[in-house]
Structure formats: C-alpha cells, structure tokens
Amino acid sequence: MPKRALAEKRPWLLASLLAGISYYFVRDGQIPGLYLMAWKGAGVALLALYALARHKGADSRQIAAVMAFGALGDVLIELVLEWGAVAFLIGHLIAIHLYWRHRRARLSPSQKLAGIAFAVLIPAISFMLPSDRAAAPGVAFYALGLGVMTAAAWTSSFPRYRVGLGAVMFAVSDLLIFARIGPMAQSPLPNLLIWPLYYFGQFLICTGVVGELRRRSATA
C-alpha cells in the first residue's frame, strides 16, 4: 500500500480507537455533558470516516451510514432514550440491506440454525428482560431489528468471525442494557461490559466489511 494511503487513511482508525477506548475511562468523570456526549459519539463516527476513506463505492458508503447512525444513537440516547433507539434501528435496517445483498450463497445447517436463533431469540429475550412490563413491547420491537441484523451479518458473505462476531457483540451489549432495567439492575457487570462490547463490536463490523470490500476490489 502506498505510504500516502497509510498517512491519510489509517489515522481515522487510530483516532477511533483512541476515542472509543478513552471514553470508557472518562465516562464517569466530571467532564461537562455536551463534551462527554461528543466524546462518546466520536469513536463510531470516526469509523464512518474510516470506511469512506478506505474504500470508494456504494457498499462502503452504506457501512459508513450504519456507523454514522450508530454514532448519532450514541449521542441521542443520552438525551432521550427513544431518539437513540430510533437512530440505532435505522442503522440496523441499513445494515440488514447491505448484508442481505451480500448473503452467503451456501449455508451449512448449523449456520442456518444460528441465523434463525439470532432473529428469534434476541427479540424474545429482550421482551422478557425489562421489569417495567409496559416498556417490554417497545424493547422487543427495537430488538427485532437488532436480531435480524445479527442474523443477516452472521449469514452474510462478509467474514463471520469479524462482521458476524461484531454483530453478536453489539447484540449482547444491548441485551445487557435491557437486563440493567430488569434482573441485573443491581449488578456491576452491565456497566463494565456494555461499552466495550458495543464499541469493539462496531469496530469489527466496520473493519471486517471494509477489509472484505477492498479484498474483492483487488481481485476483481
């Protein structure tokens, strides 16, 4: 790869890692709210810029849009929970469209079973988690998009142990959010795990998709 490409494009990925990892350590500090929200959104927003810089094409713009709506959700969820959920859901729908267009030609029975399990179990478990049962239908509606996105990622032709695994990590992060308003309300685990699972899940999704698109372009 030309040195110019390394100098101009890889820094977006490094900047994303710095923002995403450092946010974990400052999120409970005394930083003013607006600055902290911007810091939170920066990690995934920079992944969107990375995708646009590393590959030119409709697919890379689509995964960049997924990251952009994720970053918007990161910020909006701090203001109004429902606004953040809508932004994330839009991102899931865009991702589903991308993964479906790049679905794997042949799936083993276990891979098909895993896809069905993600699509069914993620919304089902999400529905059962909130202590406030009035909130459960809305949670399940959002989780239906999350579950289908995870299933589509797992059964796509993108690298399963990057894109598929990243989607699973994203889903587990959201399940922990729902558990925090339910059976794990007193547990420290959600607070410890939600952000690392979410951010590195997005990181794996973005770099996995972009890396595969670049590989296909090079061999076309």
Side-chain angles (χ1 to χ4, degrees):
M1 181 182 299
K3 291 182 179 179
R4 187 166 179 267
L6 285 171
E8 293 184 357
K9 296 175 183 178
R10 288 291 179 88
W12 293 119
L13 195 60
L14 177 59
S16 170
L17 283 167
L18 290 174
I21 293 171
S22 61
Y23 172 75
Y24 183 79
F25 298 100
V26 302
R27 61 199 169 126
D28 296 323
Q30 301 301 312
I31 299 171
L34 288 176
Y35 293 103
L36 193 60
M37 283 191 291
W39 199 327
K40 182 182 183 184
V44 177
L46 288 162
L47 288 177
L49 295 176
Y50 164 79
L52 294 174
R54 290 289 287 165
H55 185 269
K56 306 300 181 185
D59 292 331
S60 54
R61 291 193 295 271
Q62 202 163 352
I63 196 63
V66 173
M67 296 298 120
F69 276 104
L72 181 62
D74 289 335
V75 173
L76 291 181
I77 204 169
E78 298 296 326
L79 300 173
V80 179
L81 179 64
E82 292 77 7
W83 294 357
V86 168
F88 281 119
L89 184 56
I90 293 171
H92 295 333
L93 294 176
I94 296 171
I96 290 166
H97 181 259
L98 173 65
Y99 301 147
W100 182 250
R101 288 194 296 105
H102 292 275
R103 58 190 179 277
R104 195 171 293 268
R106 295 183 180 179
L107 292 170
S108 68
S110 63
Q111 291 163 355
K112 291 179 182 178
L113 183 61
I116 294 169
F118 289 137
V120 173
L121 292 179
I122 288 172
I125 294 170
S126 299
F127 177 78
M128 293 186 292
L129 286 174
S131 297
D132 178 5
R133 299 315 299 158
V139 168
F141 178 77
Y142 163 81
L144 178 61
L146 175 68
V148 174
M149 182 278 292
T150 306
W154 191 260
T155 57
S156 75
S157 60
F158 293 113
R160 183 172 292 116
Y161 293 105
R162 294 182 69 183
V163 178
L165 177 60
V168 171
M169 290 169 64
F170 192 136
V172 172
S173 173
D174 274 356
L175 288 173
L176 286 171
I177 291 175
F178 305 145
R180 191 167 57 183
I181 57 174
M184 298 184 74
Q186 304 304 317
S187 171
L189 283 179
N191 192 51
L192 290 172
L193 296 178
I194 287 170
W195 180 257
L197 284 169
Y198 164 74
Y199 171 74
F200 285 108
Q202 292 279 52
F203 182 90
L204 286 174
I205 290 169
C206 186
T207 57
V209 168
V210 172
E212 179 64 13
L213 292 175
R214 284 175 56 81
R215 187 192 68 79
R216 293 176 186 176
S217 295
T219 57

